[in-house]
Amino acid sequence: EVQLVESGGGLVQPGESLILSCTASGFPFSASTMTWARRGSPRGAIDWVGDISANSATTTYADVVKGRFVLSRDNAKNTVYLQLNNLKTEDTAIYYCYKDFYSGARTRGQGTQVTVSS
């Protein structure tokens, strides 16, 4: 069974940083591209944040987070990370990590809430 467990969210002030983690099990993590996406409101759309390739060689980011967010992974720990720097109020969202984001079989965890507020 595929499982993804996100953690690390919280309440921060604008300009601060957080590191989100997503620990995976039940599939060959080290061979899988992983994706982070977010939902800013309960009925809002899922907005793609970025991808990291299986060997970390390639990372891609949405324009709205490029230069502020950093993707990394530790395949020995089956964990992918999203470092959020210089947070803005508009980054407030539930953040999800995904396996197979671009396929009909996408799977995500329960998400972790990030709230940016002064």
mmCIF file with all atom_site columns, all heavy atoms in Angstrom, residues 8 18 35 43 49-50 59 62-63 65 84 89 93:
data_model
loop_
_atom_site.group_PDB
_atom_site.id
_atom_site.type_symbol
_atom_site.label_atom_id
_atom_site.label_alt_id
_atom_site.label_comp_id
_atom_site.label_asym_id
_atom_site.label_entity_id
_atom_site.label_seq_id
_atom_site.pdbx_PDB_ins_code
_atom_site.Cartn_x
_atom_site.Cartn_y
_atom_site.Cartn_z
_atom_site.occupancy
_atom_site.B_iso_or_equiv
_atom_site.pdbx_formal_charge
_atom_site.auth_seq_id
_atom_site.auth_comp_id
_atom_site.auth_asym_id
_atom_site.auth_atom_id
_atom_site.pdbx_PDB_model_num
ATOM 1  N N   . GLY A 1 8  ? 5.587   19.017 9.295   1.00 0.00 ? 8  GLY A N   1
ATOM 2  C CA  . GLY A 1 8  ? 6.432   20.198 9.335   1.00 0.00 ? 8  GLY A CA  1
ATOM 3  C C   . GLY A 1 8  ? 5.708   21.516 9.183   1.00 0.00 ? 8  GLY A C   1
ATOM 4  O O   . GLY A 1 8  ? 6.333   22.582 9.290   1.00 0.00 ? 8  GLY A O   1
ATOM 5  N N   . LEU A 1 18 ? 10.109  27.519 6.767   1.00 0.00 ? 18 LEU A N   1
ATOM 6  C CA  . LEU A 1 18 ? 9.677   26.214 7.269   1.00 0.00 ? 18 LEU A CA  1
ATOM 7  C C   . LEU A 1 18 ? 10.291  25.154 6.373   1.00 0.00 ? 18 LEU A C   1
ATOM 8  O O   . LEU A 1 18 ? 10.585  25.406 5.202   1.00 0.00 ? 18 LEU A O   1
ATOM 9  C CB  . LEU A 1 18 ? 8.164   26.061 7.214   1.00 0.00 ? 18 LEU A CB  1
ATOM 10 C CG  . LEU A 1 18 ? 7.284   26.672 8.292   1.00 0.00 ? 18 LEU A CG  1
ATOM 11 C CD1 . LEU A 1 18 ? 5.821   26.500 7.911   1.00 0.00 ? 18 LEU A CD1 1
ATOM 12 C CD2 . LEU A 1 18 ? 7.564   26.057 9.653   1.00 0.00 ? 18 LEU A CD2 1
ATOM 13 N N   . THR A 1 35 ? 6.264   15.099 -6.272  1.00 0.00 ? 35 THR A N   1
ATOM 14 C CA  . THR A 1 35 ? 5.684   16.423 -6.523  1.00 0.00 ? 35 THR A CA  1
ATOM 15 C C   . THR A 1 35 ? 5.110   16.978 -5.233  1.00 0.00 ? 35 THR A C   1
ATOM 16 O O   . THR A 1 35 ? 4.544   16.242 -4.428  1.00 0.00 ? 35 THR A O   1
ATOM 17 C CB  . THR A 1 35 ? 4.569   16.306 -7.564  1.00 0.00 ? 35 THR A CB  1
ATOM 18 O OG1 . THR A 1 35 ? 5.114   15.806 -8.789  1.00 0.00 ? 35 THR A OG1 1
ATOM 19 C CG2 . THR A 1 35 ? 3.889   17.638 -7.812  1.00 0.00 ? 35 THR A CG2 1
ATOM 20 N N   . ARG A 1 43 ? -12.169 24.868 -0.955  1.00 0.00 ? 43 ARG A N   1
ATOM 21 C CA  . ARG A 1 43 ? -12.747 24.519 -2.246  1.00 0.00 ? 43 ARG A CA  1
ATOM 22 C C   . ARG A 1 43 ? -11.890 25.003 -3.402  1.00 0.00 ? 43 ARG A C   1
ATOM 23 O O   . ARG A 1 43 ? -12.336 25.000 -4.559  1.00 0.00 ? 43 ARG A O   1
ATOM 24 C CB  . ARG A 1 43 ? -14.155 25.095 -2.359  1.00 0.00 ? 43 ARG A CB  1
ATOM 25 C CG  . ARG A 1 43 ? -15.113 24.496 -1.358  1.00 0.00 ? 43 ARG A CG  1
ATOM 26 C CD  . ARG A 1 43 ? -16.491 25.149 -1.412  1.00 0.00 ? 43 ARG A CD  1
ATOM 27 N NE  . ARG A 1 43 ? -17.394 24.559 -0.423  1.00 0.00 ? 43 ARG A NE  1
ATOM 28 C CZ  . ARG A 1 43 ? -18.570 25.056 -0.103  1.00 0.00 ? 43 ARG A CZ  1
ATOM 29 N NH1 . ARG A 1 43 ? -18.989 26.152 -0.689  1.00 0.00 ? 43 ARG A NH1 1
ATOM 30 N NH2 . ARG A 1 43 ? -19.328 24.464 0.799   1.00 0.00 ? 43 ARG A NH2 1
ATOM 31 N N   . VAL A 1 49 ? 3.339   23.044 -7.048  1.00 0.00 ? 49 VAL A N   1
ATOM 32 C CA  . VAL A 1 49 ? 4.437   23.813 -6.472  1.00 0.00 ? 49 VAL A CA  1
ATOM 33 C C   . VAL A 1 49 ? 5.766   23.428 -7.128  1.00 0.00 ? 49 VAL A C   1
ATOM 34 O O   . VAL A 1 49 ? 6.559   24.295 -7.496  1.00 0.00 ? 49 VAL A O   1
ATOM 35 C CB  . VAL A 1 49 ? 4.522   23.593 -4.950  1.00 0.00 ? 49 VAL A CB  1
ATOM 36 C CG1 . VAL A 1 49 ? 5.773   24.239 -4.367  1.00 0.00 ? 49 VAL A CG1 1
ATOM 37 C CG2 . VAL A 1 49 ? 3.277   24.145 -4.265  1.00 0.00 ? 49 VAL A CG2 1
ATOM 38 N N   . GLY A 1 50 ? 6.016   22.129 -7.266  1.00 0.00 ? 50 GLY A N   1
ATOM 39 C CA  . GLY A 1 50 ? 7.268   21.728 -7.884  1.00 0.00 ? 50 GLY A CA  1
ATOM 40 C C   . GLY A 1 50 ? 7.478   20.229 -7.884  1.00 0.00 ? 50 GLY A C   1
ATOM 41 O O   . GLY A 1 50 ? 6.770   19.484 -7.205  1.00 0.00 ? 50 GLY A O   1
ATOM 42 N N   . THR A 1 59 ? 15.028  19.642 -10.643 1.00 0.00 ? 59 THR A N   1
ATOM 43 C CA  . THR A 1 59 ? 13.942  20.219 -9.850  1.00 0.00 ? 59 THR A CA  1
ATOM 44 C C   . THR A 1 59 ? 13.286  21.309 -10.683 1.00 0.00 ? 59 THR A C   1
ATOM 45 O O   . THR A 1 59 ? 13.963  22.044 -11.409 1.00 0.00 ? 59 THR A O   1
ATOM 46 C CB  . THR A 1 59 ? 14.452  20.820 -8.532  1.00 0.00 ? 59 THR A CB  1
ATOM 47 O OG1 . THR A 1 59 ? 15.517  21.733 -8.802  1.00 0.00 ? 59 THR A OG1 1
ATOM 48 C CG2 . THR A 1 59 ? 14.949  19.742 -7.578  1.00 0.00 ? 59 THR A CG2 1
ATOM 49 N N   . ALA A 1 62 ? 7.044   26.145 -9.631  1.00 0.00 ? 62 ALA A N   1
ATOM 50 C CA  . ALA A 1 62 ? 6.090   27.129 -10.110 1.00 0.00 ? 62 ALA A CA  1
ATOM 51 C C   . ALA A 1 62 ? 6.711   28.517 -9.991  1.00 0.00 ? 62 ALA A C   1
ATOM 52 O O   . ALA A 1 62 ? 7.481   28.789 -9.060  1.00 0.00 ? 62 ALA A O   1
ATOM 53 C CB  . ALA A 1 62 ? 4.808   27.046 -9.292  1.00 0.00 ? 62 ALA A CB  1
ATOM 54 N N   . ASP A 1 63 ? 6.345   29.393 -10.908 1.00 0.00 ? 63 ASP A N   1
ATOM 55 C CA  . ASP A 1 63 ? 6.925   30.733 -10.911 1.00 0.00 ? 63 ASP A CA  1
ATOM 56 C C   . ASP A 1 63 ? 6.699   31.457 -9.589  1.00 0.00 ? 63 ASP A C   1
ATOM 57 O O   . ASP A 1 63 ? 7.558   32.218 -9.139  1.00 0.00 ? 63 ASP A O   1
ATOM 58 C CB  . ASP A 1 63 ? 6.341   31.550 -12.060 1.00 0.00 ? 63 ASP A CB  1
ATOM 59 C CG  . ASP A 1 63 ? 6.887   31.126 -13.410 1.00 0.00 ? 63 ASP A CG  1
ATOM 60 O OD1 . ASP A 1 63 ? 7.920   30.424 -13.454 1.00 0.00 ? 63 ASP A OD1 1
ATOM 61 O OD2 . ASP A 1 63 ? 6.262   31.493 -14.429 1.00 0.00 ? 63 ASP A OD2 1
ATOM 62 N N   . VAL A 1 65 ? 6.797   30.452 -6.645  1.00 0.00 ? 65 VAL A N   1
ATOM 63 C CA  . VAL A 1 65 ? 7.656   30.031 -5.534  1.00 0.00 ? 65 VAL A CA  1
ATOM 64 C C   . VAL A 1 65 ? 9.123   29.959 -5.923  1.00 0.00 ? 65 VAL A C   1
ATOM 65 O O   . VAL A 1 65 ? 9.988   29.771 -5.071  1.00 0.00 ? 65 VAL A O   1
ATOM 66 C CB  . VAL A 1 65 ? 7.214   28.666 -4.950  1.00 0.00 ? 65 VAL A CB  1
ATOM 67 C CG1 . VAL A 1 65 ? 5.746   28.708 -4.573  1.00 0.00 ? 65 VAL A CG1 1
ATOM 68 C CG2 . VAL A 1 65 ? 7.498   27.528 -5.916  1.00 0.00 ? 65 VAL A CG2 1
ATOM 69 N N   . LEU A 1 84 ? 10.621  26.080 2.591   1.00 0.00 ? 84 LEU A N   1
ATOM 70 C CA  . LEU A 1 84 ? 9.867   27.275 2.239   1.00 0.00 ? 84 LEU A CA  1
ATOM 71 C C   . LEU A 1 84 ? 10.559  28.476 2.894   1.00 0.00 ? 84 LEU A C   1
ATOM 72 O O   . LEU A 1 84 ? 10.597  28.565 4.112   1.00 0.00 ? 84 LEU A O   1
ATOM 73 C CB  . LEU A 1 84 ? 8.430   27.186 2.742   1.00 0.00 ? 84 LEU A CB  1
ATOM 74 C CG  . LEU A 1 84 ? 7.492   26.146 2.139   1.00 0.00 ? 84 LEU A CG  1
ATOM 75 C CD1 . LEU A 1 84 ? 7.873   24.732 2.495   1.00 0.00 ? 84 LEU A CD1 1
ATOM 76 C CD2 . LEU A 1 84 ? 6.065   26.407 2.584   1.00 0.00 ? 84 LEU A CD2 1
ATOM 77 N N   . THR A 1 89 ? 2.013   35.760 2.912   1.00 0.00 ? 89 THR A N   1
ATOM 78 C CA  . THR A 1 89 ? 0.671   35.373 3.349   1.00 0.00 ? 89 THR A CA  1
ATOM 79 C C   . THR A 1 89 ? -0.029  34.523 2.298   1.00 0.00 ? 89 THR A C   1
ATOM 80 O O   . THR A 1 89 ? -0.799  33.615 2.633   1.00 0.00 ? 89 THR A O   1
ATOM 81 C CB  . THR A 1 89 ? -0.169  36.613 3.679   1.00 0.00 ? 89 THR A CB  1
ATOM 82 O OG1 . THR A 1 89 ? -0.189  37.484 2.539   1.00 0.00 ? 89 THR A OG1 1
ATOM 83 C CG2 . THR A 1 89 ? 0.400   37.363 4.872   1.00 0.00 ? 89 THR A CG2 1
ATOM 84 N N   . ALA A 1 93 ? -1.620  27.590 2.930   1.00 0.00 ? 93 ALA A N   1
ATOM 85 C CA  . ALA A 1 93 ? -2.267  26.494 2.197   1.00 0.00 ? 93 ALA A CA  1
ATOM 86 C C   . ALA A 1 93 ? -2.021  25.184 2.941   1.00 0.00 ? 93 ALA A C   1
ATOM 87 O O   . ALA A 1 93 ? -1.188  25.111 3.847   1.00 0.00 ? 93 ALA A O   1
ATOM 88 C CB  . ALA A 1 93 ? -1.700  26.379 0.779   1.00 0.00 ? 93 ALA A CB  1
#
